[in-house]
Amino acid sequence: MDSINSPINYLLKLKDPRVERTKLHPMENIALISIMAIICGDQTWEDIENYGITKKSWLETFLDLSNDIPSHDIFNRFFRALDPKALESYFLEWVKEVAKLTKGEVVSIDGKTLRGTKNRKGKILVHRVSAWANANNLVLGQVKVDDKSNEITAIPKLLDVLMLNDCIVTIDAMGCQTEIVEKITDKGADYILTVKSNQECLEREAKAITGISIPSSQSEQIEDRHGRIEKRRCFVFDDLPIAKQLGRRVMINSIIKVETERYDKASDKYEEHTRLYISSLKVSAEDASKYIRSHWGIENRLHWTLDVSFGEDQSRKRAGFAAQNFSVINRIALN
């Protein structure tokens, strides 16, 4: 693992949680075999051990396997005891080294629940907020939502550690908060945030403006695929006589309205939706529509992949910090 961009170089900075007498297997072996096994589709500790056994003759060409392949119990105990905050910190260091964001790249922020961590009382133990770079297809970082908290408090912590200069940050209605907008703009980035009833006054003003004003730009797209026809109309309003500020401190340069009509051929079902957004950008409706559509990359290419290909939602790792740490290892493998 000589490459400067190898995640192992960063993981080896971690404090080994094992007592000295139990360090029969180098930490590098445990981390690298885990990542490689996950890339190959393995999900359980037993799967990871079996991967190591199967690939032993190859692995020992670059790893010290004098004490053989670690058992599934060793993998389990190691990640159960590892400090998850330290692991996340070095994950961020590695991503900053490998991720070269382009000007105008859309960075989507959204939360994901690890449903398999639900305990006997029905409480979800791990919920994370992640940042996804759409053009690079990379997880830029993630933070755990603290107990008795929500995404509103977690998103600022994530923004604090991200490098977002010249990017466009998209967040759903949970992120439509003054503190979050200020952090985004302080990072030299722009924003597009969904407006819903959690910001009642702002939503009312946005509806009034889009209802009576003439848009500065508009566009229309029609798609016929996957058994459904979808028409999307996007309107940008950047002459804002009323809603000049969010929380009386943050400037809003445009309000975006997206109207969607969707017809499902199989079910003969027709749906209509209207969504409102605030933004620091003054852009064409065509570009605004593209940025907003890009936000779904975090659902389609990150969350969907983690659940379907990595089996994250089905994972039953609950003991200690196993679920948190395995979540980070999954994202290293995905990157």
Side-chain angles (χ1 to χ4, degrees), residues 122-135:
K123 179 184 177 182
I124 297 291
L125 302 179
V126 180
H127 183 84
R128 316 195 73 84
V129 173
S130 299
W132 173 257
N134 285 272

Side-chain angles (χ1 to χ4, degrees), residues 291-327:
Y291 298 147
I292 290 168
R293 292 278 289 171
S294 293
H295 178 77
W296 294 105
I298 196 169
E299 289 288 348
N300 300 332
R301 286 180 280 165
L302 174 58
H303 295 167
W304 186 91
T305 303
L306 288 171
D307 287 339
V308 176
S309 299
F310 289 70
E312 188 168 82
D313 241 9
Q314 303 302 317
S315 175
R316 293 295 183 265
K317 300 175 182 69
R318 300 190 187 96
F321 300 117
Q324 284 180 252
N325 288 325
F326 208 73
S327 167

Side-chain angles (χ1 to χ4, degrees), residues 206-260:
K207 284 181 176 179
I209 289 172
T210 58
I212 63 174
S213 302
I214 298 174
S216 57
S217 176
Q218 62 186 74
S219 67
E220 181 175 291
Q221 291 177 306
I222 299 177
E223 291 183 354
D224 185 352
R225 59 180 184 176
H226 304 306
R228 68 185 186 188
I229 301 172
E230 185 171 283
K231 179 192 289 187
R232 292 186 299 275
R233 291 186 294 270
C234 181
F235 307 88
V236 175
F237 302 83
D238 56 23
D239 182 13
L240 308 179
I242 304 174
K244 284 289 185 182
Q245 298 175 322
L246 171 62
R248 301 295 174 248
R249 290 192 306 219
V250 178
M251 293 302 297
I252 302 170
N253 289 323
S254 64
I255 294 175
I256 304 165
K257 179 168 75 170
V258 177
E259 296 176 344
T260 304

Side-chain angles (χ1 to χ4, degrees), residues 107-120:
V107 174
S108 305
I109 295 178
D110 197 17
K112 183 181 185 297
T113 296
L114 276 63
R115 300 189 185 281
T117 64
K118 185 183 292 185
N119 62 19
R120 293 178 181 177

Side-chain angles (χ1 to χ4, degrees), residues 1 3-12 35 90 94 332:
M1 293 292 103
S3 169
I4 192 172
N5 289 336
S6 169
I8 297 301
N9 293 333
Y10 295 88
L11 298 182
L12 289 178
I35 293 170
Y90 289 122
W94 171 62
I332 292 174

Side-chain angles (χ1 to χ4, degrees), residues 47-102:
D47 290 340
I48 295 172
E49 178 188 3
N50 289 335
Y51 171 87
I53 293 170
T54 304
K55 301 293 183 182
K56 181 180 177 182
S57 59
W58 172 61
L59 291 169
E60 61 188 0
T61 64
F62 53 90
L63 292 179
D64 174 13
L65 297 180
S66 54
N67 285 319
D68 212 349
I69 298 295
S71 71
H72 61 274
D73 283 333
I74 290 174
F75 285 109
N76 185 5
R77 288 196 296 268
F78 177 82
F79 285 109
R80 191 171 63 192
L82 190 65
D83 180 359
K85 291 184 178 179
L87 179 59
E88 287 177 353
S89 174
Y90 289 122
F91 170 65
L92 285 167
E93 278 192 30
W94 171 62
V95 172
K96 286 178 182 178
E97 178 68 34
V98 300
K100 307 301 180 186
L101 301 183
T102 56

Side-chain angles (χ1 to χ4, degrees), residues 156-169:
K157 295 177 183 178
L158 180 58
L159 290 170
D160 282 339
V161 298
L162 296 176
M163 298 178 66
L164 297 169
N165 193 49
D166 291 330
C167 291
I168 300 168
V169 178

Side-chain angles (χ1 to χ4, degrees), residues 195-210:
V195 178
K196 288 187 177 178
S197 55
N198 64 320
Q199 290 285 350
E200 187 177 351
C201 293
L202 184 62
E203 183 187 38
R204 185 167 58 248
E205 291 179 349
K207 284 181 176 179
I209 289 172
T210 58

